Amino acid sequence: MHSTYPAAAPVVREPLHAPVAHLVRGGVVEGVHHGSVVVLDADGEITFQLGDAEAAFYPRSALKPVQAVAMLRAGLALDGELLSLAAASHSGEERHIAGARRILGLAGLTEADLRNVPDMPYGPEVRDSWIRAGRQPSRLAQNCSGKHAAMLWTAKLNDWPLEDYLDPAHPLQQAIAEIVEDLTGQRIARTTVDGCGAPLFSVSLHGLARALSRIVTAAPGTPEARVADAMRLHAEMASGAGRDVAALMAAVPGLLAKDGFEGVQVAALPDGRAVAVKIADGANRARIPVAAAALARAGVDRELLAEFAGETLLGGGRPVGHVRPVRSLEPLSVRV
């Protein structure tokens, strides 16, 4: 544990977001994405921030590495690709579904024991193939099924009730909340329900970055290090083929990264440098270029990040613009 007494919970307020990315078409700023960014050095000190890094917000799935650490601390016996899947927002590929089924099998359980919301696969190509095949939504295909399967096994290992494992008052969720506060270094501001049905804890963007920094710098063999190793080694089990977060980890040696719905991205380097991003309008197209610019701010070689500088905009089938971070974020290349 890092602290017996976490700091006070972040303030629940309207976030003081700032412009973080521009949509540029034909040399004119056509749109602006607001948000917040924080960059930490290896000692955990803030070296750059834009917007509001201290207001309470919901990290969504970017908190899954922390949840996985909590489950390992509670006795979950997973490593490798199945541990990566336990921290995943997966695309619903057959390997993801098979992996979630394997975790359930280890616990002596089945899909019927899951309490996440049935859904189609998250990956567009995978979802399209399901629709063409006439397949229906399922709990295993839903992008959080690995986490839910791991939650069930953790509960069973501790002789905790299975039927209400998603109740915030359940011993499992209380154990997870404790580790959220330990790793973020702050009390939880609010608890609500995530899209999959699991409890969702509100912390600050600063706290989220601090949590991932603590995970990547933990001693070998600790629950934190096991989660970091599993996700880096099996990045596509934590996401999917062609996903930008897996590509980012492949491009930057030792990087641990996790995305979350509504424009959340967190990433940390092995020495503890970390960045966290929240795009106010939830725009996915701004998430990665802003995170890449923040990583450049943290000292990552810009050449490693060049492919994440921002998507090209097309007009009549040809490039006419791009999404780029604002100038104060020091974009990867100066473009008009």
Side-chain angles (χ1 to χ4, degrees):
M1 296 294 185
H2 294 92
S3 174
T4 305
Y5 303 101
V11 177
V12 177
R13 64 180 180 224
E14 182 177 343
L16 304 174
H17 291 309
V20 294
H22 289 152
L23 176 69
V24 181
R25 184 183 298 271
V28 174
V29 175
E30 183 179 32
V32 180
H33 292 293
H34 289 69
S36 296
V37 181
V38 65
V39 179
L40 306 183
D41 65 16
D43 295 322
E45 298 297 319
I46 295 177
T47 60
F48 176 84
Q49 60 181 319
L50 186 61
D52 195 343
E54 304 300 346
F57 91 119
Y58 290 117
R60 302 299 297 272
S61 288
L63 201 60
K64 283 178 178 174
V66 179
Q67 293 171 309
V69 169
M71 287 188 277
L72 291 182
R73 287 190 177 277
L76 180 64
L78 287 180
D79 280 295
E81 64 177 10
L82 293 185
L83 178 54
S84 183
L85 185 63
S89 300
H90 65 70
S91 292
E93 299 163 19
E94 290 303 324
R95 57 178 162 171
H96 300 132
I97 294 172
R101 191 176 283 115
R102 283 170 58 196
I103 296 173
L104 289 170
L106 290 168
L109 302 171
T110 69
E111 181 178 1
D113 295 293
L114 294 171
R115 294 292 181 267
N116 59 321
V117 178
D119 201 357
M120 303 294 281
Y122 174 68
E125 293 183 3
V126 185
R127 184 171 58 248
D128 289 347
S129 69
W130 269 57
I131 293 172
R132 287 194 299 270
R135 300 176 73 175
Q136 299 300 309
S138 80
R139 298 185 193 277
L140 283 173
Q142 197 268 338
N143 76 90
C144 301
S145 64
K147 177 184 76 175
H148 281 257
M151 284 181 170
L152 278 168
W153 194 16
T154 305
K156 187 165 185 180
L157 288 167
N158 286 277
D159 293 322
W160 294 331
L162 302 184
E163 295 76 11
D164 61 344
Y165 74 94
L166 296 182
D167 188 328
H170 190 280
L172 169 67
Q173 302 302 337
Q174 291 293 300
I176 291 174
E178 180 182 350
I179 302 305
V180 169
E181 292 188 336
D182 175 50
L183 292 179
T184 63
Q186 59 190 185
R187 297 292 184 191
I188 292 166
R190 294 281 174 87
T191 301
T192 187
V193 182
D194 209 338
C196 65
L200 177 61
F201 306 110
S202 179
V203 293
S204 70
L205 199 64
H206 183 184
L208 178 64
R210 182 163 49 223
L212 209 69
S213 176
R214 288 174 167 177
I215 287 173
V216 297
T217 56
T222 60
E224 292 93 331
R226 288 165 59 191
V227 169
D229 290 345
M231 293 182 67
R232 287 183 293 215
L233 187 59
H234 304 281
E236 289 192 351
M237 281 297 281
S239 54
R243 293 273 292 278
D244 53 27
V245 68
L248 187 62
M249 283 195 276
V252 181
L255 185 73
L256 176 62
K258 184 68 186 76
D259 52 345
F261 280 162
E262 297 302 323
V264 182
Q265 182 68 56
V266 64
L269 294 153
D271 64 0
R273 287 173 290 161
V275 307
V277 169
K278 164 63 180 175
I279 306 300
D281 62 1
N284 210 39
R285 68 184 178 188
R287 172 181 52 84
I288 280 291
V290 171
L295 285 168
R297 273 269 185 180
V300 175
D301 187 340
R302 295 185 177 188
E303 291 187 5
L304 298 177
L305 299 166
E307 67 177 289
F308 308 103
E311 68 180 66
T312 299
L313 302 179
L314 301 179
R318 60 185 180 84
V320 295
H322 46 264
V323 177
R324 72 177 185 206
V326 294
R327 301 298 185 188
S328 59
L329 262 172
E330 293 188 4
L332 304 184
S333 60
V334 177
R335 294 172 290 186
V336 179

